[in-house]
Amino acid sequence: MTSETVDRPGAINARPVRHPGRWVTMALLGVLAAMLVNSFLTNEKWDWAYTFQIMQQTPVIEGLWKGTILGTVLAMLVGVSLGIVLAIMRMSENVVLRGVAFVYTWFFRSIPRYVLLGLFAVGLGYLYNTFDIGIPFTDITFFTLDYQAYSSTVWVGAFALGLSEAAYMAEIARAGILSVDRGQAEAAQALGMSPGQTMRRIVLPQAMRVIVPPTGNETIAMVKDTSLFIAAQITLELYYQATLFGSRAFKVMPGLMAATLWYLIVCTVLMVFQSKLEKHFGRGFGAHAPTKRERRVTALLNRTGDH
Amino acid sequence: MADMPLVHAVNVTKSFGANQVLKGIDMDVRKGEVVCFLGPSGSGKTTFLRCINQLETIDGGRIWVDGDLMGYAEKGGHLHRLHDKDIARQRREIGMVFQRFNLFPHKTVLDNIIEAPVQVKGEKKAEVTARAYELLERVGLADKPLAYPGQLSGGQQQRVAIARALAMRPKLMLFDEPTSALDPELVGEVLTVMRELAKEGMTMIVVTHEMSFARDVADRVVFMDGGVVVEQGDPKQVINNPQHERTKTFLRRMQSEHEQVIAAVADPLGSGQI
């Protein structure tokens, strides 16, 4: 070793910090995991074969698609669109609209969804057999809906859940709209855009960047809340159908696990979808590769453009 | 009213709460004229500009643009506030360029420019796109139609903002401190575009701190302070030989700031006394 290398420090070869706590927790978790696997393998009541069988039964699959997934989609469509309308009403200069939006939010946030489903399906069906559209206080009717035929369908269940969801979406949409710089609306107004155009074309698309992530969470929560459909006596739904198979065969846990596994799969897919949406609405807010439409426009301009 | 000025403002007043920002402004701007508004911040010049296209509602007085009473209709001796849609229609004729550009960040440069002509005037997309290309050429950004505003420098963004306003074929252009948010080396490219525009005969009202631009390009300079017009006239007259004490103080301060900038540029290490 020459004196130069002593003067000038070389590569660092230090001892790393020890983390004994990590090893202890890892060992503990390892034991717990082993216990769980042991239970899965040795306790025959798990009955995985039967669980997977239940997952593939036609009524279960049908409940998944026509109850859980369709119900979630419909409820969120109602919730998001009504929520945006409520948010705009909350920020309106019109006192009446502001008041209505406030009362709506107050009411629907205070009612448990389970109770709300009962109110809509059972309660309204008890009050009225049909809904008529016509001129109030006269006998003139344009359209009659046989409510009894619909009260226990996914349509009414999703509508009730959607009304509840709108109360939460209103706050999310309001936060999103307020997050857009005031200068954006001014620029749009200065270009002669009407308040409606300004909201639709300039403010809302930018608000989406803030609205989408919490809406994803709301959607995932909604998937789980469709399991409340039984309060409206809606039986075409994943949880009810899966547990029905379980209880009929006296295999409770396989029935519950069939539902659990399906919920896990659906929510995982939704999370992937959500991150895609976030990327879409985040465009213009960071570097990104050109989209299909932009490439098409470039090609078009190159063909026509000798400016 | 053949000889009515393009902008005709009489006794305009405006308050924010207890603070009266405009205390009776009279202002005429002829067609093709370039008028620069100077004055310390808080003097009301930006507010007056925003009153012209109704981004602020005025408390008193009247503003006509091309013979149109802005924001109101006079019927049977009464003023009636116009509906939002009618105010929007009045604004189509007036382009505005903001200090902070306010480009739509979720749209490409091209979509920023064609948005209003297509959505507001209902023009054909292909026609507007062709015009957008000509405008981009004019502001020196023909190679950027598909960039997003966030990918451009401040100077480029402001030039897009000018092209966006011009796409509506306005009769009048309002500039609200268009270079104040820019790095010093980017100011020139925006002023060059504005000079060209003035040369082509566009009627322009410019709120600015750029003395050399006001001196070289403006037909008239208006000096505002404390919500009133203190002094106005020929640019060289007002800037080189101001009559009012307040104008003189302001111009002296601008001059010393200007020298400081020059000194800072000449001495980037900052060793000199500033």
Side-chain angles (χ1 to χ4, degrees):
Chain A
M1 205 181 270
T2 66
S3 62
E4 274 159 15
T5 48
V6 173
D7 288 341
R8 298 165 60 80
I12 290 174
N13 191 16
R15 301 262 159 79
V17 178
R18 306 261 176 235
H19 297 286
R22 275 185 204 169
W23 293 103
V24 175
T25 34
M26 258 168 79
L28 273 174
L29 286 173
V31 171
L32 286 172
M35 285 165 72
L36 190 65
V37 171
N38 184 49
S39 168
F40 283 166
L41 296 178
T42 58
N43 190 336
E44 281 166 6
K45 286 186 193 159
W46 282 106
D47 203 342
W48 291 106
Y50 198 66
T51 304
F52 295 135
Q53 254 181 44
I54 293 178
M55 283 178 77
Q56 294 162 37
Q57 294 303 310
T58 312
V60 174
I61 302 276
E62 220 179 317
L64 171 69
W65 281 109
K66 293 184 183 168
T68 303
I69 292 177
L70 180 66
T72 302
V73 171
L74 291 174
M76 287 311 290
L77 281 178
V78 172
V80 170
S81 34
L82 188 58
I84 289 175
V85 171
L86 283 166
I88 294 170
M89 283 166 70
R90 268 299 282 279
M91 289 182 287
S92 157
E93 286 173 23
N94 184 328
V95 194
V96 181
L97 290 183
R98 273 210 311 266
V100 168
F102 178 80
V103 170
Y104 182 98
T105 311
W106 163 77
F107 181 81
F108 279 98
R109 280 216 294 201
S110 311
I111 310 293
R113 289 187 171 170
Y114 193 79
V115 177
L116 196 65
L117 281 163
L119 278 176
F120 263 80
V122 189
L124 281 183
Y126 165 77
L127 286 179
Y128 301 106
N129 291 326
T130 61
F131 284 136
D132 302 333
I133 296 178
I135 299 171
F137 310 113
T138 66
D139 289 335
I140 303 166
T141 309
F142 305 127
F143 175 77
T144 298
L145 177 80
D146 180 6
Y147 193 63
Q148 295 297 343
Y150 282 91
S151 65
S152 287
T153 62
V154 64
W155 303 104
V156 166
F159 185 67
L161 288 180
L163 289 183
S164 165
E165 184 58 37
Y168 296 90
M169 281 308 303
E171 289 302 296
I172 292 171
R174 196 161 72 107
I177 291 169
L178 289 176
S179 76
V180 178
D181 179 35
R182 177 89 199 102
Q184 290 294 309
E186 283 187 351
Q189 283 171 350
L191 285 164
M193 294 174 82
S194 68
Q197 283 174 324
T198 303
M199 184 55 78
R200 245 184 2 261
R201 309 233 3 130
I202 305 303
V203 177
L204 275 184
Q206 294 181 61
M208 281 305 186
R209 206 167 50 95
V210 174
I211 293 175
V212 164
T215 304
N217 292 337
E218 293 291 312
T219 309
I220 289 166
M222 185 59 78
V223 171
K224 298 178 284 179
D225 280 353
T226 54
S227 62
L228 301 172
F229 270 175
I230 194 60
Q233 296 170 354
I234 302 165
T235 52
L236 189 63
E237 170 268 321
L238 173 62
Y239 170 74
Y240 184 85
Q241 293 298 332
T243 48
L244 191 65
F245 272 96
S247 49
R248 269 198 302 224
F250 300 107
K251 296 189 177 205
V252 180
M253 199 55 172
L256 287 166
M257 281 313 288
T260 303
L261 289 178
W262 268 127
Y263 284 123
L264 278 173
I265 292 168
V266 171
C267 290
T268 307
V269 171
L270 279 178
M271 284 175 199
V272 173
F273 188 60
Q274 181 187 1
S275 79
K276 290 239 156 74
L277 265 184
E278 277 174 36
K279 276 201 195 100
H280 172 78
F281 284 109
R283 70 196 190 283
F285 290 91
H288 77 125
T291 63
K292 210 168 164 189
R293 173 168 174 268
E294 284 158 29
R295 282 199 300 272
R296 218 177 53 224
V297 172
T298 322
L300 208 76
L301 286 171
N302 286 343
R303 220 179 315 135
T304 56
D306 45 350
H307 297 281
Chain B
M1 284 201 271
D3 53 349
M4 186 161 177
L6 187 65
V7 178
H8 180 50
V10 183
N11 195 27
V12 173
T13 57
K14 169 76 186 172
S15 299
F16 292 113
N19 178 23
Q20 194 174 23
V21 188
L22 299 177
K23 299 173 180 164
I25 305 287
D26 295 321
M27 180 62 49
D28 284 352
V29 177
R30 282 176 286 105
K31 198 170 179 321
E33 200 178 12
V34 176
V35 179
C36 280
F37 277 65
L38 307 177
S41 56
S43 60
K45 50 198 195 310
T46 288
T47 304
F48 179 66
L49 199 73
R50 291 164 59 85
C51 286
I52 294 176
N53 73 347
Q54 296 286 303
L55 284 182
E56 308 286 353
T57 51
I58 57 178
D59 302 332
R62 305 276 188 281
I63 300 174
W64 286 269
V65 175
D66 204 18
D68 251 359
L69 179 61
M70 296 303 288
Y72 299 90
E74 211 152 10
K75 271 183 273 177
H78 285 286
L79 276 188
H80 296 263
R81 178 76 184 153
L82 286 180
H83 198 272
D84 285 338
K85 283 215 167 86
D86 298 314
I87 293 177
R89 194 166 299 124
Q90 291 185 325
R91 288 191 185 118
R92 288 183 199 178
E93 316 272 279
I94 306 170
M96 184 158 189
V97 174
F98 297 86
Q99 182 177 352
R100 314 234 19 178
F101 331 133
N102 295 355
L103 290 179
F104 306 134
H106 60 303
K107 290 181 180 293
T108 61
V109 165
L110 183 65
D111 285 343
N112 263 275
I113 297 175
I114 68 174
E115 173 72 15
V118 171
Q119 296 298 326
V120 176
K121 286 185 165 174
E123 290 186 59
K124 287 215 181 66
K125 204 167 173 178
E127 285 169 22
V128 187
T129 304
R131 195 159 83 231
Y133 254 76
E134 284 161 24
L135 285 166
L136 281 174
E137 186 100 4
R138 260 169 78 184
V139 300
L141 291 170
D143 55 335
K144 299 283 185 198
L146 296 181
Y148 280 92
Q151 299 164 325
L152 301 179
S153 75
Q156 290 172 327
Q157 288 190 52
Q158 194 62 300
R159 286 185 279 152
V160 173
I162 294 173
R164 178 177 71 174
L166 290 176
M168 286 294 279
R169 302 191 206 264
K171 293 176 194 160
L172 168 69
M173 284 285 286
L174 308 174
F175 291 85
D176 180 15
E177 302 201 25
T179 57
S180 298
L182 296 177
D183 291 336
E185 75 270 22
L186 302 177
V187 169
E189 61 191 59
V190 172
L191 292 183
T192 306
V193 169
M194 290 170 64
R195 274 201 177 89
E196 287 296 313
L197 201 55
K199 225 182 280 172
E200 289 161 20
M202 176 62 76
T203 314
M204 295 162 65
I205 304 180
V206 186
V207 171
T208 187
H209 293 293
E210 293 295 327
M211 288 303 151
S212 60
F213 178 82
R215 189 162 33 206
D216 300 345
V217 182
D219 298 305
R220 179 155 49 109
V221 157
V222 177
F223 177 73
M224 277 183 75
D225 194 11
V228 295
V229 173
V230 176
E231 181 167 0
Q232 59 175 312
D234 177 71
K236 292 183 183 67
Q237 193 72 40
V238 175
I239 293 174
N240 296 339
N241 188 18
Q243 300 302 307
H244 277 264
E245 199 46 49
R246 282 198 277 184
T247 319
K248 285 178 193 165
T249 317
F250 173 74
L251 289 171
R252 258 201 309 276
R253 213 177 60 233
M254 291 302 290
Q255 182 62 27
S256 78
E257 270 171 26
H258 185 63
E259 276 160 10
Q260 280 171 11
V261 169
I262 297 216
V265 170
D267 184 9
L269 294 178
S271 53
Q273 207 65 33
I274 292 177

